[in-house]
Each structure stands twice: as C-alpha cells, then as structure tokens.
Amino acid sequence: MIPNLVSLARLALIPVFLWLLLGKDDPVAAGWLFGVIGATDWVDGFLARRLNQVSELGKLLDPLADRIAVFVALGGGMIAGVLEPWFALAVLVREALVGVGALWVALRTRSKLTVRPLGKLATLLVYAAVGFMFIGNGADVGWVEALGWLAGIPGLVLYYVVGFQYLDDARRAVAVEPASV
C-alpha cells in the first residue's frame, strides 16, 4: 500500500514538473523535482520489498511512472531547450523499443521481463544526467551541465546495451511460451 502511494505521488508530481519547466520557465526547479521523482523510483521499490508489500498494482504503477516521467522530462527538455535533441531522442527511441518489447512479452506470455541490475544503473545515470542538464543549463553553470554529460554518455550507452539484452530476453520468452489467445 505505501509503495503504491509513493508511485502515485511520483505520477502526481509530473504535472508540477511540467508547470515548473514550461509554465514558470524554471528549469532549475524542474531539474531538482526530476531528481526527487527519480529518487522515489528507488524508494517505492525498496519499501515494497522491505515492507513485504509487493503487489500487482505496484508492478504496473512503478514502470508506468518511470516511463511517463522520462518521456515528459525528455520532451519538455527539448521544448524548453535545456536538453540536446539528439540525446533526448536517443533515450526516447530506446524507451519506445523496450516498451514495445515488454508489451509484446506481456501480451504473448502474460509475464514480464525481469529487470537487470545493469538496467537499474543505466536508468540511474540517465535520470541523473537529465536532472544535471536541466539544472546546469537553467542556471548557466557549465560544471553542472558537464556532470550531466559525464553521467549521460555512459548512461545512454548502457541504456542501449541493456535495451538489446531486454529485446533478446523478450525474443526468448516468446519463443519458450506458446502464444496466449
């Protein structure tokens, strides 16, 4: 119950993030809020395991909140001019490919892909990169933006490495399980 409330809070913060970024034109505050949203991604999972409150709803809400937060941050960051379009599009394409693969597995096998530890690291790096880029560009502080790139480039590489691993996992899961009709 508590972890699901954390996931719902993450979803509820997304419109606030958009308002800060596009409505108030404050990419620094939006970057800090994105950091909070990213940190709570870890918090809800930790609480679910620690409190023995892992649920089917949580298994849906957590990745949904992640995907929506990432898509909104990347799209908003391009619109606001605080993210390089090539970087944002590279992350978005990977998200879309993995999302389609996960949906394909879910529809065909009624199961989901297992999260990889390297995937968690890649996600952490990408979340950190986006937050640093928002703050660095918004405040015009070069060293903070540089931190974004120091996290972003390896994060993006790992994102694709793990993305291809997930697609291979999806291919194997569907090959093993007969189609659910």
Side-chain angles (χ1 to χ4, degrees):
M1 179 68 170
I2 294 171
N4 292 345
L5 292 174
V6 173
S7 293
L8 287 171
R10 287 171 51 211
L11 285 167
L13 288 173
I14 293 170
V16 177
F17 166 85
L18 275 174
W19 173 76
L20 287 170
L21 181 63
L22 302 175
K24 198 169 178 216
D25 192 24
D26 190 348
V28 174
W32 282 110
L33 182 57
F34 187 71
V36 169
I37 292 169
T40 57
D41 175 33
W42 177 83
V43 170
D44 62 9
F46 173 80
L47 288 173
R49 290 182 295 278
R50 184 70 153 195
L51 300 173
N52 198 25
Q53 294 183 354
V54 175
S55 68
E56 291 305 312
L57 177 61
K59 290 177 186 177
L60 174 70
L61 278 178
D62 179 51
L64 178 68
D66 289 345
R67 301 295 72 84
I68 292 172
V70 168
F71 272 92
V72 167
L74 294 170
M78 284 192 295
I79 291 167
V82 294
L83 290 180
E84 290 290 333
W86 71 264
F87 179 80
L89 289 171
V91 175
L92 287 170
V93 166
R94 185 272 188 188
E95 284 291 320
L97 290 173
V98 171
V100 167
L103 182 60
W104 182 49
V105 169
L107 292 173
R108 293 283 308 262
T109 68
R110 300 201 193 289
S111 65
K112 62 179 260 178
L113 297 174
T114 303
V115 175
R116 293 173 169 267
L118 194 58
K120 289 181 181 243
L121 174 60
T123 300
L124 171 69
L125 290 171
V126 168
Y127 264 106
V130 170
F132 284 136
M133 288 176 189
F134 272 65
I135 295 166
N137 283 317
D140 198 23
V141 180
W143 68 269
V144 176
E145 183 186 0
L147 285 176
W149 288 111
L150 286 172
I153 296 302
L156 185 60
V157 169
L158 288 176
Y159 227 39
Y160 271 88
V161 167
V162 175
F164 285 114
Q165 291 173 342
Y166 283 140
L167 290 176
D168 189 53
D169 292 346
R171 182 193 56 77
R172 280 190 269 141
V174 169
V176 170
E177 293 288 327
S180 300
V181 180

